[in-house]
Amino acid sequence: MTCPDEPGRLINWLLCSLCVVRARKLWSSRRPRTRRNLLLGTACAIYLGFLVSQVGRASLQHGQVAAKGPQHSRDAAEASLAEIPLDGTLAPPESQGNGTTLQPNVVYITLRSKRSKPANIRGTVKPKRRKKYVVASAVPAQEALAGPSLQPEPARAADAEMPGYAQGGYLANLGERPWRRVRGVQLPKVQESNIRIYSERAPSWLSKDDIRRMRLLADGAVAGFQHDFSGRGALLLVLEGGASGAAPRCGPSPCGLLKQPLDMSEVFAFHLDRILGLNRTLPSVSRKSEFIQDGRPCPIILWDPSLSPASNDTHSSVKLTWGAYQQLLKQKCWQNGRAPKPEWGCTEVHHHEWSKVALFDFLLQIYNRLDPNCCGFRPRKEDACVKNGLRPKCDNQNSAALAHIIQRKQDPRHLVFIDNKGFFDRSEDNLNFKLLEGIKEFPESAVSVLKSQHLRQKLLQSLFLDKIYWESQGGRQGIEKLIDVVERRAKILITYINAHGAKVLPMNE
């Protein structure tokens, strides 16, 4: 590394060399000794003066640089920091007059200086800190109330189990959240709905009518009750909402069919039907009814007066035996809009409806519709087919009558799935594959959901809406066990479809 005074040393060395050479020449010349001494002394004096001037100049420059260094570094740091905008991006380098460019190679970080405390002026009093309360109103248009206010209740433990879209969401209808009293003031509580929606909208597979009917079944006041028209001893709850002045009976007023606590799988069946895109079941929710002695939650299903009346023996509007059912499956009645021939033995039901009911019943192992005699699996003593003595009729399967085949009066082409009691305790080596016999096509919408690996997430989101059902099944942990069973059956069904070469078709006619 070259020192700042290196050029001066070089010049001194050259002058010194010239002086020595000149002195030797003068010494060896024939000129008088006095003149030689005078010239030698003059040269030495000039050289010494030059040395003194060089040393003084170097000392002066070194002192100026030392004094200017800290201030120059600080100014450079501030200039570089000023070139960095607030959004964190670096500005392009600025060009100086001499053609050089300042490159901001170093990012300077400045620490926030400590804030000096204000002077403690004698005689001043610090104001007391007061807690601010947010004023809440049950009516959105009502102005803020004066005095103590209300605060929402803290989150419940069940809300921590919110799946999917419900996590981090917010209650769509703020008027439904109860409020607790703060400092001795209380507003009237608004009853919280048992159908909870913590998002802007319900899941896409549930329509607005589904949500409205679910709220009616779960929260509607009971105006009366009457017995089921089918003669099965079930109870119909007459809900408020009919014409004013009309007697509380089904028809003018909406009704719900109240079933036993053991039929809670009907609620699961309703949500599964909507997620698969079948849309063949009636809305069903769980409700704690005062008509049940032990007060356990029960399923309540919307009563639909448009359904064709069922006979007391088979509870079915379409009378079919197993043999006739297999024959009409081969004819593909009403498919592609073609009218069936009389000799085909077709009913008014569209061919695709049997594919939907077979898929739906297999996932839930519902046997009382297509296999009421329990011919396709090993039943238990508690099953209805064993209690009613129907098991021996499997020796003549073709004569076995189907049950619960229900249509609407104004829409005979499509079926309505009722009595959807499923069984989740059926082992995989005892599944009823007889339900799939004769089925060569399956609905594309349902199969795509089963293959998409989103069935669990959708079921969690949908079943969470029904608060009473969610809690009655043990919360999320209990719901997950039910979904595990359906997911394993879905994999078995997909394997069955691939192994038998069944077609997957759009069935949205």
Side-chain angles (χ1 to χ4, degrees):
M1 186 174 180
T2 306
C3 299
D5 55 349
E6 188 67 22
R9 292 183 179 180
L10 182 60
I11 296 174
N12 294 339
W13 181 79
L14 292 176
L15 292 177
C16 182
S17 300
L18 293 176
C19 291
V20 172
V21 174
R22 185 64 180 171
R24 289 180 179 177
K25 289 182 178 181
L26 291 176
W27 188 265
S28 61
S29 63
R30 296 179 179 180
R31 294 179 182 179
R33 184 177 298 272
T34 305
R35 189 177 179 180
R36 289 199 305 268
N37 293 337
L38 181 60
L39 293 175
L40 182 61
T42 304
C44 291
I46 294 173
Y47 174 69
L48 291 175
F50 179 77
L51 287 178
V52 171
S53 63
Q54 289 293 329
V55 172
R57 181 179 179 183
S59 300
L60 181 60
Q61 290 180 355
H62 181 71
Q64 291 178 354
V65 171
K68 187 179 179 181
Q71 181 65 27
H72 176 73
S73 300
R74 190 182 303 110
D75 295 342
E78 293 177 357
S80 300
L81 187 62
E83 292 177 358
I84 303 176
L86 296 177
D87 58 357
T89 58
L90 292 177
E94 296 182 0
S95 178
Q96 290 187 345
N98 56 2
T100 61
T101 304
L102 290 176
Q103 298 288 344
N105 296 328
V106 182
V107 178
Y108 296 92
I109 301 176
T110 58
L111 298 178
R112 182 179 297 178
S113 60
K114 292 184 178 180
R115 196 173 191 178
S116 59
K117 296 182 180 181
N120 187 9
I121 303 176
R122 184 176 300 177
T124 59
V125 179
K126 294 182 180 180
K128 294 182 180 180
R129 295 183 178 180
R130 300 181 181 271
K131 294 183 179 180
K132 297 181 179 180
Y133 296 92
V134 179
V135 178
S137 174
V139 182
Q142 186 179 357
E143 296 183 357
L145 300 175
S149 59
L150 304 178
Q151 293 179 345
E153 289 184 349
R156 299 179 298 274
D159 295 346
E161 299 177 332
M162 282 191 267
Y165 77 99
Q167 294 178 353
Y170 59 93
L171 191 63
N173 188 356
L174 294 179
E176 294 178 354
R177 180 170 296 265
W179 299 87
R180 62 182 175 88
R181 185 174 64 178
V182 179
R183 299 181 64 183
V185 177
Q186 183 179 12
L187 286 179
K189 278 189 176 182
V190 180
Q191 182 181 2
E192 182 181 8
S193 175
N194 290 319
I195 304 302
R196 49 188 179 184
I197 300 177
Y198 291 85
S199 182
E200 292 183 356
R201 55 184 179 272
S204 58
W205 50 86
L206 293 173
S207 65
K208 293 182 179 179
D209 287 339
D210 288 334
I211 298 298
R212 179 179 58 83
R213 291 166 180 171
M214 290 169 63
R215 291 188 185 276
L216 175 66
L217 293 173
D219 308 323
V222 179
F225 64 91
Q226 63 186 55
H227 293 286
D228 184 16
F229 300 116
S230 62
R232 288 171 291 180
L235 196 62
L236 279 171
L237 299 185
V238 183
L239 306 174
E240 291 184 355
S244 59
R249 58 187 180 88
C250 295
S253 300
C255 287
L257 182 64
L258 186 67
K259 291 196 171 184
Q260 297 298 319
L262 295 177
D263 300 327
M264 288 291 284
S265 57
E266 296 236 15
V267 179
F268 191 100
F270 163 68
H271 291 274
L272 179 63
D273 167 76
R274 294 301 192 265
I275 291 172
L276 296 179
L278 304 178
N279 299 320
R280 293 295 181 265
T281 64
L282 299 172
S284 176
V285 301
S286 297
R287 178 166 179 158
K288 292 182 179 180
S289 176
E290 61 275 15
F291 298 97
I292 304 299
Q293 293 181 357
D294 53 7
R296 287 187 296 169
C298 302
I300 178 171
I301 298 96
L302 182 68
W303 182 77
D304 190 349
S306 66
L307 298 182
S308 297
S311 58
N312 294 332
D313 52 353
T314 62
H315 309 296
S316 179
S317 60
V318 178
K319 294 183 179 181
L320 275 178
T321 61
W322 176 260
Y325 166 66
Q326 291 296 318
Q327 288 297 324
L328 63 87
L329 286 180
K330 297 178 181 179
Q331 301 299 336
K332 299 183 179 181
C333 304
W334 306 103
Q335 190 172 7
N336 299 325
R338 62 176 183 173
K341 296 180 180 180
E343 61 269 19
W344 289 358
C346 292
T347 63
E348 295 179 314
V349 180
H350 195 280
H351 175 68
H352 289 167
E353 295 299 296
W354 306 114
S355 301
K356 295 179 180 180
V357 70
L359 179 143
F360 183 71
D361 286 359
F362 181 82
L363 292 176
L364 296 175
Q365 286 297 295
I366 302 172
Y367 67 86
N368 59 1
R369 195 172 358 245
L370 299 178
D371 188 19
N373 297 338
C374 304
C375 300
F377 67 103
R378 301 185 302 272
R380 302 173 304 175
K381 296 180 180 180
E382 299 83 8
D383 290 325
C385 57
V386 177
K387 290 183 177 180
N388 299 330
L390 302 177
R391 178 72 173 174
K393 295 184 179 181
C394 293
D395 297 337
N396 187 10
Q397 296 188 22
N398 289 333
S399 62
L402 306 186
H404 308 301
I405 309 299
I406 303 296
Q407 308 158 297
R408 283 189 172 91
K409 297 177 182 178
Q410 70 276 15
D411 187 15
R413 292 285 184 271
H414 302 117
L415 296 175
V416 179
F417 301 166
I418 66 169
D419 290 333
N420 304 311
K421 183 179 180 180
F423 295 89
F424 296 94
D425 55 351
R426 191 80 52 78
S427 60
E428 296 180 9
D429 60 348
N430 192 28
L431 296 180
N432 191 354
F433 284 93
K434 185 178 177 63
L435 303 173
L436 305 176
E437 188 174 339
I439 303 297
K440 304 299 182 181
E441 302 95 6
F442 289 90
E444 183 182 28
S445 62
V447 175
S448 62
V449 173
L450 299 180
K451 290 183 177 180
S452 65
Q453 298 181 353
H454 295 312
L455 179 62
R456 176 179 298 272
Q457 178 186 358
K458 292 182 177 181
L459 281 172
L460 286 173
Q461 293 179 3
S462 194
L463 293 171
F464 181 81
L465 301 181
D466 195 326
K467 175 184 175 183
I468 296 180
Y469 179 80
W470 184 273
E471 295 175 352
S472 67
Q473 301 303 311
R476 178 162 187 165
Q477 184 177 2
I479 299 294
E480 293 269 12
K481 293 180 180 179
L482 301 180
I483 299 177
D484 290 340
V485 175
V486 176
E487 278 191 336
R488 288 194 296 267
R489 293 175 183 175
K491 293 179 181 179
I492 295 174
L493 178 62
I494 298 301
T495 304
Y496 177 91
I497 293 174
N498 296 332
H500 289 76
K503 298 180 180 180
V504 179
L505 304 176
M507 297 182 181
N508 298 322
E509 75 286 340

